[in-house]
Amino acid sequence: MIKIFFILTLLTISLFSTVNRASVNSNAYMNYDESNSDYAELKLKDAEFEKYLKNLKNPKRLQLECDTKNNADSCYIYAGYMNLVLGEYKQSYDYFIKAFDLGLEQSGVYIAGFQLNQPELFNDSNRLTIGESIRYAEQAFKTDFPDATRLLTVIYREPKFNRVDLKKSEYYNKIAIEQNVKMSRFLLASLYTYEMKDKSKINESIKLYQDDLMIEKNWQSALALMTIHLYPEEYGATFEPDLVKTLAYAYVSSDLRDGRNENGFNNVDTRFAAAMQTELPPETLKQAKALYLEMMAQMNDAHQ
């Protein structure tokens, strides 16, 4: 038992820092590419919209309709084409501005996103303040545009924008969940667990992590649940430490991660699972494996 405790202590030291880093540096809101672990990167990507744009037969027609007929929809779609397909960000920004001025307020989220994410595109004559960028995002938010909800959630959570207001971030995050924004449940749970450090929210956080795990197959939620079941008192939970659930979630996290995020991540889930193979009784290992297989089956059924 002393040896088990020693191994747990060593792994947990790195585990706490790893989960905290994973929760803060999540790409959930702005960029769905999981190879990028920085959720402050405000690259607005929509897979279906991008697919539509790549199949455009005559994008120049849209440009012409925008320039000569002031068609807001054409301006918006052409701006998206320049952004997501050609990577011509300066021209894309200009057409999003025109779409916004013509009344398509959802364009405001892209205007704000460019200003915050790519400041090198701008000079003193066209650079917006953070307050002005927020106002563009708020106009888009009023149209029930999920990307705007994502962006506002990030702005009020990320220190580099100098507007940290965790209550406002929580407000927008809850709306993001209602709008089915990708991984929004994980981000709200991690906001409670690691940034607000609100132990009174632990039961809600656990439910959010569990839902995110089932819906998104997000390894970060499995890792968070692993830590909570390893040291529940640290997070305000009233149940006892549970090595069966801890190990099962370690298996799940390692399986879902599947070797990704090696850089900046110390494989603590895989290392923990490996260390426990020789330290836990066979019955405990058997129960953990059975629970892991049950959870993976539930996830697979949910995604069929």
PDB file of all heavy atoms in Angstrom, residues 10-11 13-19 21 223 257 261-272:
ATOM      1  N   LEU A  10       3.517  10.654  -7.011  1.00  0.00           N
ATOM      2  CA  LEU A  10       4.365  11.114  -8.106  1.00  0.00           C
ATOM      3  C   LEU A  10       3.543  11.442  -9.346  1.00  0.00           C
ATOM      4  O   LEU A  10       3.732  12.478  -9.992  1.00  0.00           O
ATOM      5  CB  LEU A  10       5.409  10.049  -8.449  1.00  0.00           C
ATOM      6  CG  LEU A  10       6.535   9.843  -7.444  1.00  0.00           C
ATOM      7  CD1 LEU A  10       7.455   8.727  -7.926  1.00  0.00           C
ATOM      8  CD2 LEU A  10       7.332  11.128  -7.238  1.00  0.00           C
ATOM      9  N   LEU A  11       2.602  10.549  -9.673  1.00  0.00           N
ATOM     10  CA  LEU A  11       1.793  10.780 -10.858  1.00  0.00           C
ATOM     11  C   LEU A  11       0.831  11.932 -10.675  1.00  0.00           C
ATOM     12  O   LEU A  11       0.559  12.688 -11.603  1.00  0.00           O
ATOM     13  CB  LEU A  11       1.032   9.505 -11.228  1.00  0.00           C
ATOM     14  CG  LEU A  11       1.887   8.366 -11.782  1.00  0.00           C
ATOM     15  CD1 LEU A  11       1.044   7.122 -11.965  1.00  0.00           C
ATOM     16  CD2 LEU A  11       2.524   8.759 -13.110  1.00  0.00           C
ATOM     17  N   ILE A  13       1.205  14.667  -8.925  1.00  0.00           N
ATOM     18  CA  ILE A  13       1.869  15.965  -9.040  1.00  0.00           C
ATOM     19  C   ILE A  13       1.822  16.455 -10.483  1.00  0.00           C
ATOM     20  O   ILE A  13       1.483  17.600 -10.775  1.00  0.00           O
ATOM     21  CB  ILE A  13       3.323  15.877  -8.539  1.00  0.00           C
ATOM     22  CG1 ILE A  13       3.339  15.698  -7.023  1.00  0.00           C
ATOM     23  CG2 ILE A  13       4.108  17.126  -8.931  1.00  0.00           C
ATOM     24  CD1 ILE A  13       4.718  15.406  -6.456  1.00  0.00           C
ATOM     25  N   SER A  14       2.170  15.540 -11.407  1.00  0.00           N
ATOM     26  CA  SER A  14       2.116  15.914 -12.820  1.00  0.00           C
ATOM     27  C   SER A  14       0.688  15.932 -13.326  1.00  0.00           C
ATOM     28  O   SER A  14       0.339  16.693 -14.218  1.00  0.00           O
ATOM     29  CB  SER A  14       2.961  14.964 -13.663  1.00  0.00           C
ATOM     30  OG  SER A  14       2.521  13.645 -13.520  1.00  0.00           O
ATOM     31  N   LEU A  15      -0.183  15.116 -12.746  1.00  0.00           N
ATOM     32  CA  LEU A  15      -1.570  15.032 -13.183  1.00  0.00           C
ATOM     33  C   LEU A  15      -2.299  16.341 -12.978  1.00  0.00           C
ATOM     34  O   LEU A  15      -2.973  16.849 -13.865  1.00  0.00           O
ATOM     35  CB  LEU A  15      -2.268  13.908 -12.420  1.00  0.00           C
ATOM     36  CG  LEU A  15      -3.709  13.572 -12.784  1.00  0.00           C
ATOM     37  CD1 LEU A  15      -3.800  13.167 -14.231  1.00  0.00           C
ATOM     38  CD2 LEU A  15      -4.229  12.476 -11.884  1.00  0.00           C
ATOM     39  N   PHE A  16      -2.162  16.946 -11.788  1.00  0.00           N
ATOM     40  CA  PHE A  16      -2.853  18.198 -11.514  1.00  0.00           C
ATOM     41  C   PHE A  16      -2.439  19.280 -12.504  1.00  0.00           C
ATOM     42  O   PHE A  16      -3.264  20.012 -13.038  1.00  0.00           O
ATOM     43  CB  PHE A  16      -2.578  18.674 -10.083  1.00  0.00           C
ATOM     44  CG  PHE A  16      -3.339  17.918  -9.032  1.00  0.00           C
ATOM     45  CD1 PHE A  16      -2.832  17.798  -7.746  1.00  0.00           C
ATOM     46  CD2 PHE A  16      -4.554  17.336  -9.309  1.00  0.00           C
ATOM     47  CE1 PHE A  16      -3.524  17.111  -6.770  1.00  0.00           C
ATOM     48  CE2 PHE A  16      -5.253  16.651  -8.336  1.00  0.00           C
ATOM     49  CZ  PHE A  16      -4.736  16.529  -7.054  1.00  0.00           C
ATOM     50  N   SER A  17      -1.127  19.387 -12.757  1.00  0.00           N
ATOM     51  CA  SER A  17      -0.670  20.413 -13.682  1.00  0.00           C
ATOM     52  C   SER A  17      -1.114  20.126 -15.105  1.00  0.00           C
ATOM     53  O   SER A  17      -1.440  21.035 -15.864  1.00  0.00           O
ATOM     54  CB  SER A  17       0.855  20.538 -13.632  1.00  0.00           C
ATOM     55  OG  SER A  17       1.470  19.339 -14.043  1.00  0.00           O
ATOM     56  N   THR A  18      -1.158  18.849 -15.471  1.00  0.00           N
ATOM     57  CA  THR A  18      -1.561  18.475 -16.818  1.00  0.00           C
ATOM     58  C   THR A  18      -3.020  18.785 -17.071  1.00  0.00           C
ATOM     59  O   THR A  18      -3.388  19.374 -18.086  1.00  0.00           O
ATOM     60  CB  THR A  18      -1.312  16.970 -17.052  1.00  0.00           C
ATOM     61  OG1 THR A  18       0.085  16.719 -16.926  1.00  0.00           O
ATOM     62  CG2 THR A  18      -1.774  16.554 -18.440  1.00  0.00           C
ATOM     63  N   VAL A  19      -3.902  18.403 -16.140  1.00  0.00           N
ATOM     64  CA  VAL A  19      -5.330  18.647 -16.329  1.00  0.00           C
ATOM     65  C   VAL A  19      -5.614  20.134 -16.317  1.00  0.00           C
ATOM     66  O   VAL A  19      -6.401  20.644 -17.115  1.00  0.00           O
ATOM     67  CB  VAL A  19      -6.153  17.933 -15.236  1.00  0.00           C
ATOM     68  CG1 VAL A  19      -7.616  18.286 -15.372  1.00  0.00           C
ATOM     69  CG2 VAL A  19      -5.973  16.436 -15.355  1.00  0.00           C
ATOM     70  N   ARG A  21      -3.616  22.482 -17.253  1.00  0.00           N
ATOM     71  CA  ARG A  21      -3.159  23.021 -18.521  1.00  0.00           C
ATOM     72  C   ARG A  21      -4.104  22.623 -19.637  1.00  0.00           C
ATOM     73  O   ARG A  21      -4.429  23.426 -20.510  1.00  0.00           O
ATOM     74  CB  ARG A  21      -1.750  22.509 -18.821  1.00  0.00           C
ATOM     75  CG  ARG A  21      -1.127  23.109 -20.075  1.00  0.00           C
ATOM     76  CD  ARG A  21       0.364  22.795 -20.155  1.00  0.00           C
ATOM     77  NE  ARG A  21       0.631  21.382 -20.281  1.00  0.00           N
ATOM     78  CZ  ARG A  21       1.145  20.624 -19.310  1.00  0.00           C
ATOM     79  NH1 ARG A  21       1.425  21.147 -18.127  1.00  0.00           N
ATOM     80  NH2 ARG A  21       1.383  19.340 -19.502  1.00  0.00           N
ATOM     81  N   LEU A 223      -9.803  12.715 -18.513  1.00  0.00           N
ATOM     82  CA  LEU A 223      -8.662  13.025 -17.656  1.00  0.00           C
ATOM     83  C   LEU A 223      -9.110  13.800 -16.413  1.00  0.00           C
ATOM     84  O   LEU A 223      -8.649  13.541 -15.301  1.00  0.00           O
ATOM     85  CB  LEU A 223      -7.628  13.830 -18.432  1.00  0.00           C
ATOM     86  CG  LEU A 223      -6.288  14.071 -17.742  1.00  0.00           C
ATOM     87  CD1 LEU A 223      -5.508  12.770 -17.602  1.00  0.00           C
ATOM     88  CD2 LEU A 223      -5.464  15.097 -18.508  1.00  0.00           C
ATOM     89  N   ARG A 257      -7.239   9.685 -26.584  1.00  0.00           N
ATOM     90  CA  ARG A 257      -6.127  10.553 -26.989  1.00  0.00           C
ATOM     91  C   ARG A 257      -5.319   9.883 -28.094  1.00  0.00           C
ATOM     92  O   ARG A 257      -4.844  10.548 -29.016  1.00  0.00           O
ATOM     93  CB  ARG A 257      -5.253  10.866 -25.775  1.00  0.00           C
ATOM     94  CG  ARG A 257      -4.259  11.982 -25.974  1.00  0.00           C
ATOM     95  CD  ARG A 257      -3.683  12.417 -24.635  1.00  0.00           C
ATOM     96  NE  ARG A 257      -3.142  11.304 -23.881  1.00  0.00           N
ATOM     97  CZ  ARG A 257      -1.946  10.764 -24.109  1.00  0.00           C
ATOM     98  NH1 ARG A 257      -1.169  11.232 -25.060  1.00  0.00           N
ATOM     99  NH2 ARG A 257      -1.511   9.744 -23.375  1.00  0.00           N
ATOM    100  N   ASN A 261      -1.404  14.869 -28.942  1.00  0.00           N
ATOM    101  CA  ASN A 261      -1.023  15.845 -27.925  1.00  0.00           C
ATOM    102  C   ASN A 261       0.185  15.382 -27.116  1.00  0.00           C
ATOM    103  O   ASN A 261       0.281  15.631 -25.916  1.00  0.00           O
ATOM    104  CB  ASN A 261      -2.204  16.151 -26.984  1.00  0.00           C
ATOM    105  CG  ASN A 261      -3.392  16.729 -27.716  1.00  0.00           C
ATOM    106  OD1 ASN A 261      -4.206  15.990 -28.239  1.00  0.00           O
ATOM    107  ND2 ASN A 261      -3.470  18.034 -27.766  1.00  0.00           N
ATOM    108  N   GLU A 262       1.116  14.711 -27.789  1.00  0.00           N
ATOM    109  CA  GLU A 262       2.320  14.262 -27.085  1.00  0.00           C
ATOM    110  C   GLU A 262       3.169  15.453 -26.643  1.00  0.00           C
ATOM    111  O   GLU A 262       3.765  15.442 -25.572  1.00  0.00           O
ATOM    112  CB  GLU A 262       3.152  13.347 -27.998  1.00  0.00           C
ATOM    113  CG  GLU A 262       2.442  12.057 -28.385  1.00  0.00           C
ATOM    114  CD  GLU A 262       2.317  11.079 -27.229  1.00  0.00           C
ATOM    115  OE1 GLU A 262       2.907  11.325 -26.169  1.00  0.00           O
ATOM    116  OE2 GLU A 262       1.607  10.071 -27.380  1.00  0.00           O
ATOM    117  N   ASN A 263       3.250  16.465 -27.515  1.00  0.00           N
ATOM    118  CA  ASN A 263       4.022  17.649 -27.170  1.00  0.00           C
ATOM    119  C   ASN A 263       3.270  18.474 -26.132  1.00  0.00           C
ATOM    120  O   ASN A 263       2.116  18.838 -26.325  1.00  0.00           O
ATOM    121  CB  ASN A 263       4.289  18.495 -28.412  1.00  0.00           C
ATOM    122  CG  ASN A 263       5.157  17.772 -29.420  1.00  0.00           C
ATOM    123  OD1 ASN A 263       6.011  16.981 -29.039  1.00  0.00           O
ATOM    124  ND2 ASN A 263       4.941  18.028 -30.699  1.00  0.00           N
ATOM    125  N   GLY A 264       3.920  18.781 -25.052  1.00  0.00           N
ATOM    126  CA  GLY A 264       3.288  19.560 -23.989  1.00  0.00           C
ATOM    127  C   GLY A 264       2.398  18.746 -23.078  1.00  0.00           C
ATOM    128  O   GLY A 264       1.724  19.287 -22.220  1.00  0.00           O
ATOM    129  N   PHE A 265       2.380  17.413 -23.281  1.00  0.00           N
ATOM    130  CA  PHE A 265       1.570  16.547 -22.441  1.00  0.00           C
ATOM    131  C   PHE A 265       2.419  15.360 -22.034  1.00  0.00           C
ATOM    132  O   PHE A 265       3.121  14.779 -22.865  1.00  0.00           O
ATOM    133  CB  PHE A 265       0.326  16.071 -23.212  1.00  0.00           C
ATOM    134  CG  PHE A 265      -0.607  15.229 -22.405  1.00  0.00           C
ATOM    135  CD1 PHE A 265      -1.440  15.814 -21.474  1.00  0.00           C
ATOM    136  CD2 PHE A 265      -0.649  13.858 -22.556  1.00  0.00           C
ATOM    137  CE1 PHE A 265      -2.299  15.043 -20.714  1.00  0.00           C
ATOM    138  CE2 PHE A 265      -1.502  13.078 -21.804  1.00  0.00           C
ATOM    139  CZ  PHE A 265      -2.337  13.678 -20.876  1.00  0.00           C
ATOM    140  N   ASN A 266       2.387  15.003 -20.768  1.00  0.00           N
ATOM    141  CA  ASN A 266       3.338  13.997 -20.272  1.00  0.00           C
ATOM    142  C   ASN A 266       2.753  12.585 -20.175  1.00  0.00           C
ATOM    143  O   ASN A 266       3.251  11.760 -19.414  1.00  0.00           O
ATOM    144  CB  ASN A 266       3.901  14.430 -18.914  1.00  0.00           C
ATOM    145  CG  ASN A 266       2.801  14.557 -17.859  1.00  0.00           C
ATOM    146  OD1 ASN A 266       1.651  14.211 -18.114  1.00  0.00           O
ATOM    147  ND2 ASN A 266       3.153  15.054 -16.692  1.00  0.00           N
ATOM    148  N   ASN A 267       1.674  12.322 -20.950  1.00  0.00           N
ATOM    149  CA  ASN A 267       1.097  10.970 -21.011  1.00  0.00           C
ATOM    150  C   ASN A 267       0.725  10.429 -19.634  1.00  0.00           C
ATOM    151  O   ASN A 267       0.848   9.228 -19.371  1.00  0.00           O
ATOM    152  CB  ASN A 267       2.073  10.002 -21.688  1.00  0.00           C
ATOM    153  CG  ASN A 267       2.404  10.397 -23.099  1.00  0.00           C
ATOM    154  OD1 ASN A 267       1.553  10.887 -23.831  1.00  0.00           O
ATOM    155  ND2 ASN A 267       3.648  10.198 -23.493  1.00  0.00           N
ATOM    156  N   VAL A 268       0.268  11.303 -18.758  1.00  0.00           N
ATOM    157  CA  VAL A 268       0.038  10.866 -17.385  1.00  0.00           C
ATOM    158  C   VAL A 268      -1.059   9.812 -17.297  1.00  0.00           C
ATOM    159  O   VAL A 268      -1.014   8.941 -16.431  1.00  0.00           O
ATOM    160  CB  VAL A 268      -0.272  12.081 -16.483  1.00  0.00           C
ATOM    161  CG1 VAL A 268      -1.609  12.702 -16.828  1.00  0.00           C
ATOM    162  CG2 VAL A 268      -0.213  11.714 -15.020  1.00  0.00           C
ATOM    163  N   ASP A 269      -2.033   9.855 -18.212  1.00  0.00           N
ATOM    164  CA  ASP A 269      -3.085   8.835 -18.194  1.00  0.00           C
ATOM    165  C   ASP A 269      -2.512   7.453 -18.499  1.00  0.00           C
ATOM    166  O   ASP A 269      -2.766   6.479 -17.778  1.00  0.00           O
ATOM    167  CB  ASP A 269      -4.213   9.195 -19.176  1.00  0.00           C
ATOM    168  CG  ASP A 269      -3.713   9.632 -20.542  1.00  0.00           C
ATOM    169  OD1 ASP A 269      -2.494   9.504 -20.823  1.00  0.00           O
ATOM    170  OD2 ASP A 269      -4.542  10.105 -21.348  1.00  0.00           O
ATOM    171  N   THR A 270      -1.697   7.385 -19.560  1.00  0.00           N
ATOM    172  CA  THR A 270      -1.089   6.110 -19.947  1.00  0.00           C
ATOM    173  C   THR A 270      -0.100   5.629 -18.882  1.00  0.00           C
ATOM    174  O   THR A 270      -0.056   4.433 -18.552  1.00  0.00           O
ATOM    175  CB  THR A 270      -0.376   6.262 -21.302  1.00  0.00           C
ATOM    176  OG1 THR A 270      -1.309   6.779 -22.266  1.00  0.00           O
ATOM    177  CG2 THR A 270       0.159   4.927 -21.794  1.00  0.00           C
ATOM    178  N   ARG A 271       0.682   6.541 -18.340  1.00  0.00           N
ATOM    179  CA  ARG A 271       1.659   6.181 -17.319  1.00  0.00           C
ATOM    180  C   ARG A 271       0.977   5.675 -16.054  1.00  0.00           C
ATOM    181  O   ARG A 271       1.427   4.717 -15.414  1.00  0.00           O
ATOM    182  CB  ARG A 271       2.549   7.385 -16.994  1.00  0.00           C
ATOM    183  CG  ARG A 271       3.521   7.750 -18.118  1.00  0.00           C
ATOM    184  CD  ARG A 271       4.148   9.123 -17.878  1.00  0.00           C
ATOM    185  NE  ARG A 271       4.788   9.184 -16.575  1.00  0.00           N
ATOM    186  CZ  ARG A 271       4.724  10.244 -15.763  1.00  0.00           C
ATOM    187  NH1 ARG A 271       4.041  11.315 -16.118  1.00  0.00           N
ATOM    188  NH2 ARG A 271       5.348  10.237 -14.614  1.00  0.00           N
ATOM    189  N   PHE A 272      -0.123   6.332 -15.671  1.00  0.00           N
ATOM    190  CA  PHE A 272      -0.863   5.910 -14.485  1.00  0.00           C
ATOM    191  C   PHE A 272      -1.408   4.507 -14.679  1.00  0.00           C
ATOM    192  O   PHE A 272      -1.273   3.635 -13.804  1.00  0.00           O
ATOM    193  CB  PHE A 272      -2.002   6.890 -14.211  1.00  0.00           C
ATOM    194  CG  PHE A 272      -2.838   6.532 -13.009  1.00  0.00           C
ATOM    195  CD1 PHE A 272      -2.495   6.968 -11.745  1.00  0.00           C
ATOM    196  CD2 PHE A 272      -3.978   5.748 -13.149  1.00  0.00           C
ATOM    197  CE1 PHE A 272      -3.257   6.628 -10.642  1.00  0.00           C
ATOM    198  CE2 PHE A 272      -4.749   5.400 -12.050  1.00  0.00           C
ATOM    199  CZ  PHE A 272      -4.381   5.844 -10.792  1.00  0.00           C
TER     200      PHE A 272
END
